[in-house]
Amino acid sequence: MKQTSQLGAHAHNFPRGRAAELPKETLLKMYRDMVEQRRFEEATGRAYGLGKIMGFCHLYIGQEAISVGAAAALRPSDVMMSAYRIHAQAMARGVPPQAIMDELFGKATGCVQGLGGSMHIFDIAKGFWGGWGLVGQQVPTAAGVAFAQKYQSTSNITMVFFGDGAVHQGAIHETFNLASVWGLPIVFVVENNQYGMGTALSRVSSLEPLHEMADAYKIRHYEFNGMDLLESYDAFADAVDYAREHSRPVYLEAHCSRFRGHSMSDPGKYRTKDQLEEEKAHDPIPGFAAFLVDCGVTTHEALEAIDETAKAGMKLILERAEAAPWPDPELISKYVLVSP
Amino acid sequence: MAQLLFRDALNQAMSEEMERDSRVYLVGEEVAQYDGAYKVSQGMLARFGEKRVIDTPIAELGFVAVAVGSALGGLRPIIEVMTYNFAILSLDAIINTAAKAHQMTAGQLSCPIVLRGATGAGGALAAQHSQSLESQYTHIPGLICLSPSTPADAKGLLKSAIRDPNPVIFFEHEALYSAKGEVPDGEHLVPIGKGDIKREGSDVTIIAWSRQMKQLIEQADAWSEELGLDIELVDPRTLRPLDMELILASVKKTGRVVIVEEGFQFNHVGAEIAYRIQRDGFDLLDAPVERVTSIDVPMPYSPALEKLVLPNADRIKAAIRAVCYK
Ligand SMILES: Cc1ncc(C[n+]2csc(CCOP(=O)(O)OP(=O)(O)O)c2C)c(N)n1
Ligand SMILES: [Mg+2]
């Protein structure tokens, strides 16, 4: 995992230690959320292998400290928007895992009734606005949602995720400018897992360190270790507060790694086994577990029990998804236009 | 004749033309080190080197527009877009630059690009990744549009496309890459603007291309038997300019036409074909032209629904019966 240290004019150091002061119950919930996300994605991978899930399917394994840290910093009325590697982010936002798995199975009980599948998870009531498949497209769209939040004088903010592969899309640069000029309450988050599909960032980018790009647009920015839940929460909490308080954009670079291939069909030959093992040594889950035990928040046994419960839960979720009904053919044209 | 996969036929076409003409280069996302998202450019980086097989960042407007500029500057880029859903981002370069350059400069410039990549519904890829946007391009004067259904046509047409001095848009159905077929040995060129009869028949003409044609080739014998009608399959291969001569010759024989197309229905390519048939072959027709397209909705993910949206056997057979009053 690469960390960079050059800092530009709008670089900022966020205060550390806020996460460690969260109530014990919150910390335990955050741990449980990470574990459930991990087990969910493992279950998803198995179901995909069995042909129960089809199409493109991108797992989040390795990046859970980001989804959980981000969600913990947001209010329920805020908006979170993302790309296609989203099962775990949706869970972090409170979308029921059953509704996500049913969606992956293409069933009527899925969160978008079987219309979307893996890449298009949405649950607007939970503040999870999907679910977008064109690399980068969610970024200007999210800025538009932030525009609406500001226009309507809400105190809500929008947080949008994109990958290191997306940062070269022109629309993102146009959006940074607009967000800065118009003072939009938005937190841009680049999840830098160092690869866009099989392409290592350094091969195609002149932007590294990625967060420095915000300097050109006079946007506050900083980077953090996205494999560390405490640091992740601290970074997000500061960014969210700032965007809300000042109605200004913030740009965060989360250094992270995905432990699986780009999608289920990617054998990942561009990464050596050793490199992958090195990355896995930074697994956010054992790291946070050690913290919880060291601080006396809980015991190893209690954490084990959380994991066992999560595993058993996933088994049930798969069974229910299997048994769930297929969508009705009428659904095909039901939502093409808003009905009168 | 060799049996080749569709993707390997494309690879041969590009490689042969790159051997032949040093101005030809390949550019796109994942085309070099990853050997292509659909492995079409397998081995080409090793063979031609980094100067001529070039990976790009994900920036469709930027890299397509730059490649278009390089064509104005004297090169002959083959631009791979991972899929045509993503090429939407590059439409400014294609529609406003590539398609206009020759005419706007009164012939002083030309723009010999080939834009190529995956189109169509690959299987449970949902609304944003399953589109057949051919008619977006056939709508534009100044563009040539090609859509092969077999490995032989893929190779022959792509070679012609690379040699053509105009901007050529080349559609490869995502579900065809692993299809196998005979490809003639040696230099094999398929002319632009010439269709092909994929099956001779006397009772009804079915016009289709790309994956839909492949499926029809597989079904035509059985359906001819089942329906008691001898089906003729006409593959225009080039969607613009259309080989109306071939199409009308077939209509003259059968008097009955069904057009099968995977794109959305409203303003689809087949609508133009149907218009021309009725204008130039009104007296040849024994029934109104029927069409079978995808249903006009964003593609649902659920496999249970996707199969209802795409053209399917039931709908195609119903259309055949309708034009034959059976
Ligand atoms: C506009 C567009 N171009 C290309 C693609 C194909 N594609 C899907 S994901 C991806 C890589 C994106 O990488 P990154 O942004 O780093 O996100 P990550 O997958 O690492 O989460 C590519 C090239 C696409 N979906 N949309
Ligand atoms: Mg990435």
Side-chain angles (χ1 to χ4, degrees):
Chain A
M1 207 192 45
K2 205 145 71 180
Q3 286 265 21
T4 44
S5 57
Q6 301 123 278
L7 292 180
H10 297 269
H12 176 75
N13 272 317
F14 56 96
R16 315 272 170 150
R18 284 173 74 173
E21 279 154 30
L22 288 168
K24 185 177 149 184
E25 299 70 44
T26 308
L27 291 172
L28 279 173
K29 177 183 180 306
M30 289 164 87
Y31 181 78
R32 194 169 56 242
D33 285 351
M34 284 208 292
V35 169
E36 283 179 358
Q37 290 172 19
R38 176 70 57 91
R39 298 303 178 205
F40 182 94
E41 292 292 62
E42 288 167 353
T44 297
R46 286 196 301 277
Y48 194 94
L50 295 171
K52 301 292 179 194
I53 298 170
M54 293 176 65
F56 294 146
C57 181
H58 313 80
L59 302 182
Y60 198 70
I61 292 176
Q63 301 181 203
E64 297 90 343
I66 302 171
S67 53
V68 172
L74 288 171
R75 292 180 184 167
S77 54
D78 290 332
V79 167
M80 184 192 277
M81 204 184 270
S82 191
Y84 46 80
R85 192 180 299 286
I86 46 170
H87 315 151
Q89 292 175 333
M91 284 173 74
R93 204 63 181 122
V95 184
Q98 189 70 57
I100 302 170
M101 191 60 82
D102 289 2
E103 187 57 41
L104 302 187
F105 275 58
K107 297 300 183 73
T109 42
C111 58
V112 288
Q113 304 180 32
L115 288 172
S118 168
M119 294 186 288
H120 308 305
I121 303 291
F122 291 83
D123 189 337
I124 302 303
K126 295 278 185 207
F128 190 73
W129 290 48
W132 302 92
L134 279 279
V135 168
Q137 76 168 137
Q138 71 280 16
V139 180
T141 314
V145 175
F147 181 94
Q149 287 166 328
K150 183 173 181 175
Y151 187 99
Q152 293 168 110
S153 306
T154 74
S155 57
N156 300 327
I157 67 134
T158 297
M159 179 182 288
V160 61
F161 292 92
F162 47 98
D164 51 284
V167 297
H168 312 105
Q169 288 285 26
I172 292 187
H173 294 258
E174 297 177 33
T175 302
F176 269 41
N177 183 54
L178 289 173
S180 185
V181 169
W182 290 344
L184 301 181
I186 184 164
V187 178
F188 299 108
V189 187
V190 59
E191 292 182 271
N192 182 358
N193 59 17
Q194 306 146 76
Y195 291 93
M197 262 173 116
T199 302
L201 177 65
S202 55
R203 289 209 289 122
V204 289
S205 192
S206 62
L207 286 173
E208 288 178 286
L210 296 182
H211 65 106
E212 290 278 297
M213 163 186 134
D215 256 333
Y217 300 101
K218 303 185 173 59
I219 289 175
R220 179 185 179 100
H221 62 89
Y222 47 94
E223 63 189 330
F224 66 93
N225 178 359
M227 306 299 276
D228 177 336
L229 181 58
L230 296 169
E231 187 168 330
S232 166
Y233 175 81
D234 285 346
F236 281 114
D238 189 62
V240 165
D241 289 352
Y242 180 86
R244 200 186 312 280
E245 199 175 315
H246 301 277
S247 191
R248 286 289 306 164
V250 184
Y251 183 33
L252 304 185
E253 177 178 5
H255 295 279
C256 58
S257 55
R258 59 164 160 77
F259 295 166
R260 299 288 183 95
H262 166 70
S263 69
M264 296 305 296
S265 58
D266 170 25
K269 289 184 191 147
Y270 43 84
R271 234 180 345 185
T272 64
K273 229 175 149 201
D274 286 350
Q275 187 186 348
L276 186 58
E277 284 314 310
E278 204 282 318
E279 290 178 18
K280 283 184 178 171
H282 298 282
D283 190 328
I285 295 179
F288 191 53
F291 165 82
L292 292 175
V293 173
D294 287 351
C295 302
V297 172
T298 188
T299 61
H300 269 302
E301 293 67 37
L303 295 180
E304 281 289 310
I306 287 177
D307 196 18
E308 289 309 317
T309 310
K311 280 189 204 160
M314 290 314 141
K315 205 165 155 270
L316 209 60
I317 281 173
L318 287 176
E319 285 166 15
R320 288 189 179 135
E322 177 82 45
W326 292 103
D328 194 294
E330 275 168 29
L331 184 65
I332 287 172
S333 43
K334 189 170 175 188
Y335 297 110
V336 178
L337 290 173
V338 177
S339 31
Chain B
M1 283 225 235
Q3 284 276 337
L4 282 188
L5 296 181
F6 197 90
R7 61 161 60 84
D8 296 335
L10 295 169
N11 184 302
Q12 277 192 359
M14 292 193 288
S15 301
E16 287 175 15
E17 293 307 304
M18 284 177 67
E19 291 289 1
R20 193 176 163 270
D21 184 344
S22 64
R23 296 170 301 172
V24 180
Y25 72 98
L26 173 66
V27 61
E29 292 161 15
E30 308 287 356
V31 298
Q33 289 201 10
Y34 200 69
D35 282 331
Y38 297 98
K39 303 296 168 211
V40 173
S41 53
Q42 186 106 41
M44 287 180 64
L45 172 65
R47 182 160 169 192
F48 295 102
E50 286 181 349
K51 182 180 174 189
R52 299 183 71 196
V53 181
I54 305 168
D55 278 328
T56 70
I58 306 165
E60 284 82 3
L61 175 55
F63 79 75
V64 174
V66 169
V68 162
S70 80
L72 301 182
L75 301 183
R76 292 184 163 248
I78 305 167
I79 311 164
E80 177 171 311
V81 286
M82 208 174 275
T83 82
Y84 275 93
N85 305 287
F86 315 148
I88 292 171
L89 277 80
S90 66
L91 279 181
D92 179 54
I94 299 302
I95 296 178
N96 280 324
T97 310
K100 308 279 190 284
H102 194 58
Q103 149 96 350
M104 274 172 53
T105 61
Q108 297 178 71
L109 289 176
S110 62
C111 191
I113 60 160
V114 176
L115 187 77
R116 48 157 291 270
T119 185
L125 300 182
Q128 296 183 319
H129 286 75
S130 302
Q131 304 175 95
S132 294
L133 297 169
E134 285 74 353
S135 69
Q136 302 250 305
Y137 296 87
T138 56
H139 187 60
I140 306 298
L143 299 180
I144 288 171
C145 300
L146 309 179
S147 185
S149 62
T150 65
D153 287 349
K155 178 172 177 184
L157 279 174
L158 185 53
K159 282 170 68 80
S160 298
I162 295 167
R163 293 185 195 184
D164 197 273
N166 295 293
V168 179
I169 315 298
F170 194 93
F171 298 98
E172 304 158 4
H173 198 290
E174 192 165 333
L176 284 183
Y177 284 124
S178 298
K180 228 180 188 167
E182 305 240 297
V183 177
D185 299 325
E187 182 86 322
H188 170 60
L189 290 162
V190 171
I192 289 171
K194 286 276 172 258
D196 187 37
I197 306 292
K198 291 284 191 254
R199 182 185 196 276
E200 302 253 5
S202 50
D203 296 326
V204 56
T205 298
I206 305 185
I207 302 169
W209 52 91
S210 196
R211 191 255 298 256
Q212 293 303 321
M213 177 50 83
K214 173 180 184 272
Q215 292 179 340
L216 285 163
I217 292 170
E218 288 161 2
Q219 301 298 332
D221 286 350
W223 290 2
S224 289
E225 178 110 351
E226 178 189 337
L227 301 170
L229 293 163
D230 194 11
I231 293 172
E232 173 144 305
L233 296 179
V234 178
D235 184 349
R237 302 192 291 197
T238 297
L239 302 181
R240 184 173 181 157
L242 283 165
D243 186 355
M244 286 312 296
E245 206 178 309
L246 184 82
I247 290 171
L248 287 166
S250 178
V251 178
K252 186 168 181 190
K253 189 156 61 157
T254 65
R256 300 161 196 283
V257 183
V258 174
I259 300 168
V260 182
E261 178 175 350
E262 199 170 303
F264 300 124
Q265 187 163 90
F266 203 102
N267 282 348
H268 66 123
V269 179
E272 175 69 18
I273 299 175
Y275 165 77
R276 290 176 182 226
I277 291 173
Q278 64 80 36
R279 188 195 60 189
D280 298 332
F282 193 73
D283 294 337
L284 308 175
L285 286 170
D286 292 323
V289 175
E290 278 288 340
R291 59 181 177 182
V292 180
T293 65
S294 284
I295 292 173
D296 256 350
V297 299
M299 184 65 80
Y301 160 72
S302 184
L305 301 180
E306 184 181 41
K307 62 174 190 246
L308 302 175
V309 171
L310 289 169
N312 57 37
D314 289 347
R315 288 204 282 132
I316 299 171
K317 282 193 250 176
I320 296 172
R321 285 198 194 91
V323 298
C324 295
Y325 301 116
K326 269 223 163 182

Short mmCIF file of all heavy atoms in Angstrom, two decimals, chain A residues 84-85 133-135 163-166 169 193 195-197 262, chain B residues 29 58 60 82 86 89 129, ligand 1:
data_model
loop_
_atom_site.label_atom_id
_atom_site.label_comp_id
_atom_site.label_asym_id
_atom_site.label_seq_id
_atom_site.Cartn_x
_atom_site.Cartn_y
_atom_site.Cartn_z
N TYR A 84 -19.96 0.40 -9.03
CA TYR A 84 -20.52 -0.95 -9.24
C TYR A 84 -19.96 -1.97 -8.24
O TYR A 84 -20.40 -3.09 -8.19
CB TYR A 84 -20.19 -1.42 -10.67
CG TYR A 84 -18.74 -1.14 -10.94
CD1 TYR A 84 -17.76 -1.99 -10.46
CD2 TYR A 84 -18.34 0.07 -11.52
CE1 TYR A 84 -16.43 -1.67 -10.58
CE2 TYR A 84 -17.01 0.39 -11.65
CZ TYR A 84 -16.06 -0.49 -11.19
OH TYR A 84 -14.74 -0.17 -11.28
N ARG A 85 -18.94 -1.55 -7.45
CA ARG A 85 -18.37 -2.48 -6.46
C ARG A 85 -19.03 -2.14 -5.12
O ARG A 85 -18.43 -1.56 -4.24
CB ARG A 85 -16.84 -2.26 -6.38
CG ARG A 85 -16.08 -3.33 -5.62
CD ARG A 85 -14.58 -3.05 -5.59
NE ARG A 85 -13.95 -2.99 -6.89
CZ ARG A 85 -13.68 -4.04 -7.65
NH1 ARG A 85 -13.95 -5.26 -7.21
NH2 ARG A 85 -13.14 -3.89 -8.84
N GLY A 133 -22.84 2.05 -13.54
CA GLY A 133 -21.92 1.15 -14.22
C GLY A 133 -20.90 1.79 -15.13
O GLY A 133 -19.94 1.15 -15.54
N LEU A 134 -21.09 3.05 -15.49
CA LEU A 134 -20.11 3.70 -16.37
C LEU A 134 -19.06 4.37 -15.50
O LEU A 134 -19.41 5.20 -14.65
CB LEU A 134 -20.80 4.75 -17.25
CG LEU A 134 -21.55 4.30 -18.52
CD1 LEU A 134 -20.57 4.06 -19.65
CD2 LEU A 134 -22.45 3.12 -18.28
N VAL A 135 -17.82 4.03 -15.73
CA VAL A 135 -16.76 4.51 -14.84
C VAL A 135 -16.78 6.04 -14.77
O VAL A 135 -16.59 6.71 -15.77
CB VAL A 135 -15.39 3.99 -15.29
CG1 VAL A 135 -14.26 4.72 -14.57
CG2 VAL A 135 -15.29 2.50 -15.06
N GLY A 163 -13.21 4.98 -8.29
CA GLY A 163 -11.94 4.26 -8.21
C GLY A 163 -10.78 5.05 -8.78
O GLY A 163 -10.97 6.08 -9.43
N ASP A 164 -9.59 4.55 -8.53
CA ASP A 164 -8.40 5.18 -9.11
C ASP A 164 -8.44 5.14 -10.64
O ASP A 164 -7.82 5.96 -11.30
CB ASP A 164 -7.14 4.45 -8.62
CG ASP A 164 -7.23 2.95 -8.84
OD1 ASP A 164 -7.96 2.30 -8.06
OD2 ASP A 164 -6.62 2.44 -9.79
N GLY A 165 -9.20 4.18 -11.18
CA GLY A 165 -9.32 4.12 -12.63
C GLY A 165 -10.20 5.22 -13.20
O GLY A 165 -10.13 5.53 -14.38
N ALA A 166 -11.03 5.81 -12.34
CA ALA A 166 -12.01 6.79 -12.82
C ALA A 166 -11.45 8.21 -12.90
O ALA A 166 -12.02 9.06 -13.59
CB ALA A 166 -13.23 6.78 -11.90
N GLN A 169 -11.26 10.46 -16.10
CA GLN A 169 -12.44 10.84 -16.89
C GLN A 169 -12.60 12.36 -16.80
O GLN A 169 -12.62 12.94 -15.70
CB GLN A 169 -13.72 10.17 -16.34
CG GLN A 169 -13.80 8.68 -16.62
CD GLN A 169 -14.15 8.33 -18.08
OE1 GLN A 169 -13.87 9.12 -18.98
NE2 GLN A 169 -14.72 7.16 -18.29
N ASN A 193 -7.27 1.52 -4.97
CA ASN A 193 -6.78 0.15 -4.79
C ASN A 193 -5.71 -0.19 -5.83
O ASN A 193 -5.38 -1.34 -6.04
CB ASN A 193 -7.94 -0.86 -4.82
CG ASN A 193 -8.73 -0.83 -6.11
OD1 ASN A 193 -8.27 -0.29 -7.13
ND2 ASN A 193 -9.92 -1.39 -6.10
N TYR A 195 -5.48 -0.39 -8.95
CA TYR A 195 -5.76 -0.99 -10.24
C TYR A 195 -7.12 -0.58 -10.76
O TYR A 195 -8.09 -0.53 -10.00
CB TYR A 195 -5.73 -2.53 -10.17
CG TYR A 195 -4.34 -3.07 -9.94
CD1 TYR A 195 -3.90 -3.32 -8.65
CD2 TYR A 195 -3.49 -3.30 -11.01
CE1 TYR A 195 -2.61 -3.80 -8.43
CE2 TYR A 195 -2.21 -3.77 -10.80
CZ TYR A 195 -1.77 -4.03 -9.50
OH TYR A 195 -0.52 -4.49 -9.29
N GLY A 196 -7.19 -0.27 -12.02
CA GLY A 196 -8.45 -0.19 -12.74
C GLY A 196 -8.45 -1.39 -13.66
O GLY A 196 -7.66 -1.45 -14.59
N MET A 197 -9.26 -2.36 -13.35
CA MET A 197 -9.19 -3.67 -14.02
C MET A 197 -7.76 -4.20 -13.93
O MET A 197 -7.24 -4.33 -12.84
CB MET A 197 -9.67 -3.57 -15.47
CG MET A 197 -11.12 -4.01 -15.62
SD MET A 197 -11.78 -3.73 -17.23
CE MET A 197 -12.08 -5.39 -17.73
N HIS A 262 -10.60 -8.05 -10.35
CA HIS A 262 -11.47 -6.92 -10.64
C HIS A 262 -12.93 -7.33 -10.59
O HIS A 262 -13.77 -6.68 -9.97
CB HIS A 262 -11.15 -6.34 -12.02
CG HIS A 262 -12.20 -5.41 -12.52
ND1 HIS A 262 -12.41 -4.17 -11.96
CD2 HIS A 262 -13.14 -5.55 -13.49
CE1 HIS A 262 -13.44 -3.59 -12.59
NE2 HIS A 262 -13.89 -4.41 -13.51
N GLU B 29 -8.52 0.74 -23.88
CA GLU B 29 -8.37 0.29 -22.50
C GLU B 29 -8.04 -1.21 -22.49
O GLU B 29 -8.75 -2.00 -23.11
CB GLU B 29 -9.67 0.54 -21.73
CG GLU B 29 -9.93 2.02 -21.53
CD GLU B 29 -11.39 2.34 -21.20
OE1 GLU B 29 -12.14 1.43 -20.84
OE2 GLU B 29 -11.77 3.52 -21.32
N ILE B 58 -8.86 5.10 -18.40
CA ILE B 58 -10.30 5.08 -18.67
C ILE B 58 -10.71 6.53 -18.90
O ILE B 58 -10.89 7.29 -17.95
CB ILE B 58 -11.07 4.46 -17.49
CG1 ILE B 58 -10.50 3.09 -17.15
CG2 ILE B 58 -12.56 4.37 -17.82
CD1 ILE B 58 -10.95 2.57 -15.80
N GLU B 60 -12.73 7.80 -22.17
CA GLU B 60 -13.15 7.50 -23.54
C GLU B 60 -13.18 8.74 -24.43
O GLU B 60 -12.81 8.68 -25.60
CB GLU B 60 -14.51 6.81 -23.55
CG GLU B 60 -14.47 5.33 -23.15
CD GLU B 60 -14.45 5.10 -21.66
OE1 GLU B 60 -14.52 6.10 -20.90
OE2 GLU B 60 -14.37 3.94 -21.23
N MET B 82 -14.11 -0.68 -25.09
CA MET B 82 -14.39 -1.96 -24.42
C MET B 82 -15.81 -2.41 -24.78
O MET B 82 -16.01 -3.57 -25.13
CB MET B 82 -14.21 -1.78 -22.93
CG MET B 82 -13.82 -3.04 -22.20
SD MET B 82 -13.48 -2.69 -20.48
CE MET B 82 -11.77 -2.20 -20.53
N PHE B 86 -19.79 2.31 -23.45
CA PHE B 86 -18.80 3.27 -22.96
C PHE B 86 -18.42 4.27 -24.05
O PHE B 86 -18.01 5.39 -23.77
CB PHE B 86 -17.55 2.56 -22.45
CG PHE B 86 -17.83 1.37 -21.58
CD1 PHE B 86 -16.97 0.27 -21.56
CD2 PHE B 86 -18.96 1.32 -20.77
CE1 PHE B 86 -17.23 -0.83 -20.77
CE2 PHE B 86 -19.23 0.22 -19.99
CZ PHE B 86 -18.35 -0.86 -19.98
N LEU B 89 -19.46 8.03 -24.33
CA LEU B 89 -18.68 9.17 -23.85
C LEU B 89 -17.86 9.81 -24.95
O LEU B 89 -17.48 10.97 -24.84
CB LEU B 89 -17.74 8.73 -22.71
CG LEU B 89 -18.35 8.66 -21.32
CD1 LEU B 89 -19.15 7.38 -21.13
CD2 LEU B 89 -17.28 8.77 -20.25
N HIS B 129 -25.19 -2.01 -19.74
CA HIS B 129 -24.14 -2.78 -20.41
C HIS B 129 -24.69 -3.72 -21.48
O HIS B 129 -23.99 -4.65 -21.88
CB HIS B 129 -23.36 -3.61 -19.38
CG HIS B 129 -22.42 -2.83 -18.52
ND1 HIS B 129 -22.84 -2.03 -17.50
CD2 HIS B 129 -21.07 -2.74 -18.54
CE1 HIS B 129 -21.79 -1.48 -16.92
NE2 HIS B 129 -20.70 -1.88 -17.53
C1 LIG C 1 -17.00 4.52 -19.12
C2 LIG C 1 -16.53 3.14 -18.83
N1 LIG C 1 -15.40 2.68 -19.39
C3 LIG C 1 -14.97 1.43 -19.14
C4 LIG C 1 -15.68 0.61 -18.31
C5 LIG C 1 -15.19 -0.80 -18.02
N2 LIG C 1 -14.68 -0.88 -16.66
C6 LIG C 1 -15.48 -1.24 -15.64
S1 LIG C 1 -14.71 -1.13 -14.18
C7 LIG C 1 -13.27 -0.63 -14.87
C8 LIG C 1 -12.09 -0.35 -14.00
C9 LIG C 1 -12.36 0.74 -13.02
O1 LIG C 1 -11.37 0.79 -12.06
P1 LIG C 1 -11.44 1.70 -10.78
O2 LIG C 1 -12.11 2.98 -11.13
O3 LIG C 1 -10.09 1.77 -10.21
O4 LIG C 1 -12.42 0.95 -9.78
P2 LIG C 1 -12.22 -0.47 -9.06
O5 LIG C 1 -12.75 -1.46 -10.02
O6 LIG C 1 -10.80 -0.65 -8.74
O7 LIG C 1 -13.10 -0.42 -7.86
C10 LIG C 1 -13.41 -0.55 -16.26
C11 LIG C 1 -12.35 -0.19 -17.21
C12 LIG C 1 -16.89 1.11 -17.77
N3 LIG C 1 -17.66 0.36 -16.97
N4 LIG C 1 -17.28 2.37 -18.02
#
